[in-house]
Amino acid sequence: MKILVTGGFGFIGSALIRKIIRETKYEVLNIDSITNVASPEAIEDCAKSGRYNFARIDICDKDKLLKAFKKFKPDAVMHLAAESHVDRSIKNPYRFIFTNIIGTFNMLEVSTKYINIEKNIKKFKFLHVSTDEVFGSLKKNEKIFTEKNKYFPNSPYSASKASSDHLVRAWNKTYGLPTVTTYCSNNYGPWQNPEKLIPTIISNALKKNTIPIYGKGNNVRDWIYVDDHISGLLLALNEGKVGQNYNIGSNSQISNIELANKICKILDKRLNNKSPHNKLIKFVKDRPGHDFRYAISAKKIKKNLNFSPKFNFNKGLNSTVDWYIENSKWLLSKHKL
Ligand code: NAD
């Protein structure tokens, strides 16, 4: 099988390519424009494999995309390339609209054109990787998101992802493109850019900077280890029903302040600091439109595709903190504050 992955130098895309190269016989073409959050070093080992290919293409460039499709001849697309940080989407939404909406539109157009030209590609699938943030914040009377929740995006990031989800649905319904969409909760694990919460907490703690936490830190996120997300994506690709949507989550909800304290405790155990790391925590002005609580139900993917996450949150968090300590040179080189 030949898989075209977009965004393969990102946090999740690189974990996906590492798994594909290590654990399958698939051939991969990674399409990434190398934005400033890309980490080519995260898949350096895969680059040595004869089954890994790379093309530096911006998904907003339709002509280059079509050429890459025709040359590589993928059996499937896993579309992860996106602008993905809510704070940056608030400061500068422009790139989010282009990459997440126009870029996804191009991917759909080119995929549809490609399968019409390559008549012998029989089981083509387009897997679109989305987020639970499209559902907005859980209301007081709501326990959990299911795939049937209405869309209520609150940030330019989630609105652009929601728009891309609608395009994917339309290309399936109107043009018969075989699509599957997944919604995942917050991912954690190695190689995440320190613009995101967990590596931000660790990098600031290592630098003895203050650790900024929005509002009073009561916002709740539902965490999943990145490798569990990847397993869900590969299941959805191989066994997911065309036209269907699947939530991917591992039922680990925790408030931001509890999470920051947990990470600080792990750092206290690992490093000999005179004062506890949580003394560095500082509450800062809340993010506008900040969703209060996410919690995602993975019942459907469990029942229909036999998905079961393998990583327990506490163990996964401990090993993630250890990874960032061991790779602190990389982490601090990416730290922009
Ligand atoms: P990331 O920001 O770490 O990586 C994105 C990658 O896409 C980067 O390598 C970047 O260079 C590339 N890219 C950006 N714009 C591009 C363009 N115009 N053309 C080609 N490549 C481009 O993101 P991530 O955290 O790995 O997220 C991957 C996907 O998963 C995104 O679609 C995101 O919405 C979704 N998602 C992420 C999370 C999470 O917790 N990180 C949760 C649910 C869903």
Side-chain angles (χ1 to χ4, degrees):
M1 172 132 114
K2 287 171 128 193
I3 306 188
L4 188 154
V5 174
T6 67
F9 288 149
F11 164 49
I12 301 171
S14 62
L16 172 66
I17 292 178
R18 287 195 299 274
K19 190 175 172 81
I20 291 177
I21 295 298
R22 278 181 203 153
E23 296 177 20
T24 74
K25 297 208 158 81
Y26 304 161
E27 190 179 339
V28 174
L29 169 64
N30 172 20
I31 286 190
D32 198 299
S33 62
I34 319 190
T35 65
N36 53 2
V37 301
S39 297
E41 61 278 16
I43 50 171
E44 237 163 43
D45 287 354
C46 304
K48 292 172 200 147
S49 148
R51 291 179 288 118
Y52 173 81
N53 310 275
F54 169 64
R56 185 173 189 174
I57 297 175
D58 187 321
I59 57 167
C60 296
D61 187 336
K62 203 188 270 180
D63 294 342
K64 280 196 185 154
L65 277 181
L66 186 60
K67 272 189 197 143
F69 268 70
K70 283 183 178 164
K71 189 171 169 214
F72 182 64
K73 298 197 191 321
D75 300 295
V77 168
M78 297 179 86
H79 177 40
L80 290 92
E83 290 289 346
S84 71
H85 187 42
V86 176
D87 285 347
R88 270 196 295 110
S89 83
I90 296 169
K91 282 192 196 117
N92 185 8
Y94 187 85
R95 274 309 311 168
F96 286 72
I97 304 307
F98 270 85
T99 290
N100 299 1
I101 306 179
I102 308 290
T104 301
F105 161 66
N106 285 340
M107 288 297 298
L108 294 165
E109 280 270 275
V110 167
S111 298
T112 309
K113 210 173 202 171
Y114 162 74
I115 56 171
N116 285 332
I117 299 169
E118 294 291 334
K119 299 273 188 235
N120 50 350
I121 306 275
K122 290 275 177 310
K123 282 197 168 171
F124 185 84
K125 225 183 229 175
F126 185 103
L127 182 91
H128 176 60
V129 179
S130 191
T131 163
D132 61 356
E133 300 195 26
V134 297
F135 302 126
S137 189
L138 277 166
K139 318 274 174 306
K140 283 222 167 76
N141 59 349
E142 276 178 316
K143 272 207 181 113
I144 207 151
F145 297 126
T146 74
E147 293 80 357
K148 292 194 172 133
N149 265 68
K150 280 192 183 156
Y151 277 48
F152 280 113
N154 291 316
S155 72
Y157 164 64
S158 54
S160 65
K161 290 295 290 186
S163 310
S164 70
D165 296 356
H166 292 317
L167 294 175
V168 172
R169 179 188 159 86
W171 259 248
N172 170 253
K173 298 285 175 200
T174 306
Y175 304 106
L177 186 69
T179 63
V180 172
T181 294
T182 55
Y183 307 107
C184 192
S185 55
N186 284 52
N187 284 224
Y188 69 98
W191 298 108
Q192 188 170 31
N193 191 285
E195 64 177 3
K196 301 283 172 64
L197 184 62
I198 290 181
T200 291
I201 294 171
I202 303 169
S203 59
N204 280 306
L206 293 179
K207 289 185 93 170
K208 300 196 174 57
N209 285 347
T210 53
I211 299 170
I213 297 291
Y214 283 130
K216 289 279 168 246
N218 293 325
N219 302 61
V220 174
R221 296 293 176 263
D222 193 351
W223 292 92
I224 182 169
Y225 193 71
V226 64
D227 288 6
D228 279 332
H229 181 192
I230 300 306
S231 304
L233 293 180
L234 288 167
L235 262 180
L237 178 77
N238 289 317
E239 289 164 44
K241 230 171 137 187
V242 166
Q244 291 281 314
N245 300 342
Y246 299 92
N247 282 351
I248 303 176
S250 75
N251 197 18
S252 305
Q253 295 115 33
I254 184 171
S255 72
N256 291 346
I257 185 64
E258 283 174 289
L259 174 67
N261 277 313
K262 237 181 210 295
I263 293 172
C264 287
K265 265 203 180 139
I266 302 171
L267 289 169
D268 291 345
K269 278 194 209 141
R270 303 291 194 272
L271 309 168
N272 288 329
N273 257 36
K274 279 186 196 126
S275 95
H277 287 91
N278 68 357
K279 288 251 161 73
L280 298 168
I281 294 175
K282 190 180 163 211
F283 294 118
V284 296
K285 190 169 175 272
D286 208 356
R287 167 196 278 168
H290 200 178
D291 288 334
F292 186 68
R293 187 166 68 89
Y294 304 139
I296 194 163
S297 162
K299 264 191 187 159
K300 179 177 171 183
I301 192 166
K302 278 185 186 160
K303 185 165 171 257
N304 297 1
L305 309 183
N306 212 9
F307 170 72
S308 81
K310 297 209 165 34
F311 291 84
N312 155 286
F313 182 63
N314 284 326
K315 270 196 185 161
L317 191 64
N318 270 277
S319 68
T320 298
V321 174
D322 287 341
W323 187 91
Y324 284 105
I325 294 173
E326 277 160 31
N327 294 277
S328 55
K329 214 171 145 192
W330 176 85
L331 177 68
L332 299 178
S333 75
K334 298 272 174 178
H335 184 107
K336 297 273 157 40
L337 295 178

